[in-house]
């Protein structure tokens, strides 16, 4: 395992043109398996609810990106039934994110969005929920997903997932209405808006056994989960800034927040955002090193796969039409970790002191 001291210390400027590159200091593992069967089942499930295909680009075969992400989260020994359920949940998350929460008209339809989100939040926490005949497909589908996972996972694991989904929904709704946030306010929301806690619960469900409460709730474990989530959120903001503007999205983006709060140009804001991402990466490495030395296998699985979650986020940025519309600029998923051009050669900064944000500075107390 690499330590912080082994990270290259040559500063680089923010990349110009094309998809921005990010540095990953640890060895980048290839995917041990790609559960295409689970992804195909999830694709059929999505079609059964009439959800639209969000990535119709011919080169992006249906289910491929989803299968790749499931492979990053799991091992060949992971339950096939759990992988199917998580695949369905992944499809559902893409639909509600694009069609509801990030829709250009989300702010003007706030009442409708809040009513739907409130119902979904109740459904994911209610094992006895009876779906009305006139229910939205989004409600019926998420109920189906949660029932699949309740049949395969422990009540504690399902509760962790439900809490993660609730945080995702609440933060996404909050972000729709967020005008002129400061940097701390925005980052505190972005941790959950990207679904970080839900993804951590999904990773745990793919592990060898449930993680005990005393480990899951330990401050250092919660810090590394939130750190990985926010790191990915900042990456996505840098990559998707122009996509969001082109689609007319009104919710804030970290690049735009930096421009407003620090009076920066676009290029300066991208540089600052990448520096923030890289300081989070340095923290992730330190938390990882501290935790892995004493972690039992279930927690080791979570920590190791959080690293792969970061890699998967970059792979999706490189390969998914939603982030890279031009097929000519897109890589095959299996080629990203093997291609140096996909990655920055080093971190942009070496500072290991806490970031100056009250919402997250406590993370550094646990490394």
């Amino acid at each position: 395992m690499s330590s912080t001291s082994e990270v290259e210390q040559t500063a680089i400027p923010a990349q110009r043109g094309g998809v921005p590159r990010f540095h990953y200091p640890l060895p980048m593992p290839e995917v041990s398996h790609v559960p295409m069967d689970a992804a195909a089942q999830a694709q059929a499930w999505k079609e059964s609810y009439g959800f639209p295909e969000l990535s119709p680009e011919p080169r992006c075969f249906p289910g491929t990106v989803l299968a790749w992400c499931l492979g990053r989260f799991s091992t060949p020994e992971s339950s096939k039934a759990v992988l199917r359920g998580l695949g369905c949940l992944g499809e559902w998350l893409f639909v509600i994110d694009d069609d509801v929460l990030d829709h250009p008209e989300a702010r003007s339809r706030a009442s409708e969005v809040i009513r739907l989100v409130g119902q979904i939040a109740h459904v994911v926490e209610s094992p006895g929920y009876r779906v009305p005949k006139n229910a939205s497909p989004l409600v019926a589908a998420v109920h189906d997903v949660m029932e699949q996972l309740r049949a395969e996972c422990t009540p504690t694991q399902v509760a962790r997932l439900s809490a993660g989904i609730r945080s995702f929904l609440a933060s996404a709704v909050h972000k729709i209405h967020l005008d002129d946030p400061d940097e701390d306010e925005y980052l505190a929301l972005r941790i959950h808006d990207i679904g970080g806690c839900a993804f951590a619960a999904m990773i745990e469900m793919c592990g060898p056994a449930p993680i005990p409460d005393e480990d899951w709730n330990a401050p250092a474990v919660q810090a590394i989960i939130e750190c990985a989530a926010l790191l990915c959120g900042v990456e996505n903001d840098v990559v998707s800034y122009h996509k969001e503007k082109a689609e007319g999205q009104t919710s804030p983006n970290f690049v735009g927040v930096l421009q407003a709060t620090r009076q920066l140009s676009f290029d300066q804001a991208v540089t600052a955002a990448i520096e923030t991402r890289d300081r989070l990466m340095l923290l992730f490495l330190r938390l990882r090193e501290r935790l892995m030395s004493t972690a039992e296998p279930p927690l080791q699985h979570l920590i190791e796969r959080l690293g792969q979650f970061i890699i998967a986020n970059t792979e999706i940025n490189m390969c998914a039409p939603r982030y890279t519309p031009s097929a000519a600029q897109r890589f095959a998923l299996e080629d990203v970790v093997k291609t140096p051009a996909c990655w920055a050669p080093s971190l942009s900064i070496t500072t290991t002191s806490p970031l100056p944000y009250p919402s997250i500075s406590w993370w550094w107390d646990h490394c």
Side-chain angles (χ1 to χ4, degrees), residues 101-123:
L101 302 172
D102 273 348
H103 195 281
E105 297 178 7
R107 181 172 291 204
S108 63
R109 299 188 333 213
S111 175
E112 177 185 340
V113 171
I114 291 170
R115 181 175 289 109
L116 175 62
V117 164
Q119 187 176 12
I120 289 170
H122 178 66
V123 169

Side-chain angles (χ1 to χ4, degrees), residues 13 25 33 74 76 82 85 110 122 156 173 183 254 278 291-292 297 320-321 335 343 356:
H33 71 131
S74 64
V82 168
H122 178 66
T156 297
V173 168
E183 294 169 35
F254 191 47
D278 287 352
L291 289 166
M292 286 292 274
D335 291 339
W343 306 88

Side-chain angles (χ1 to χ4, degrees), residues 143-223:
H143 174 264
D144 183 6
V145 166
M146 297 306 295
E147 290 302 296
Q148 290 182 49
L149 294 172
R150 284 191 181 96
E152 302 296 330
C153 303
T154 69
T156 297
Q157 289 177 313
V158 174
R160 289 168 183 166
L161 178 62
S162 298
I165 294 173
R166 177 179 278 277
S167 293
F168 157 67
L169 294 170
S171 296
V173 168
H174 189 173
K175 203 171 86 166
I176 291 171
H177 296 275
L178 196 59
D179 291 316
D180 303 320
D182 63 31
E183 294 169 35
D184 181 62
E185 183 181 21
Y186 177 78
L187 293 176
L189 276 178
R190 194 66 173 118
I191 296 165
H192 302 290
D193 171 58
I194 196 172
C197 296
F199 284 124
M202 293 164 72
I203 290 171
E204 186 215 6
M205 288 175 165
C206 297
I211 296 174
D213 281 344
E214 58 269 24
D215 289 340
W216 180 268
N217 294 319
V221 174
Q222 290 302 302

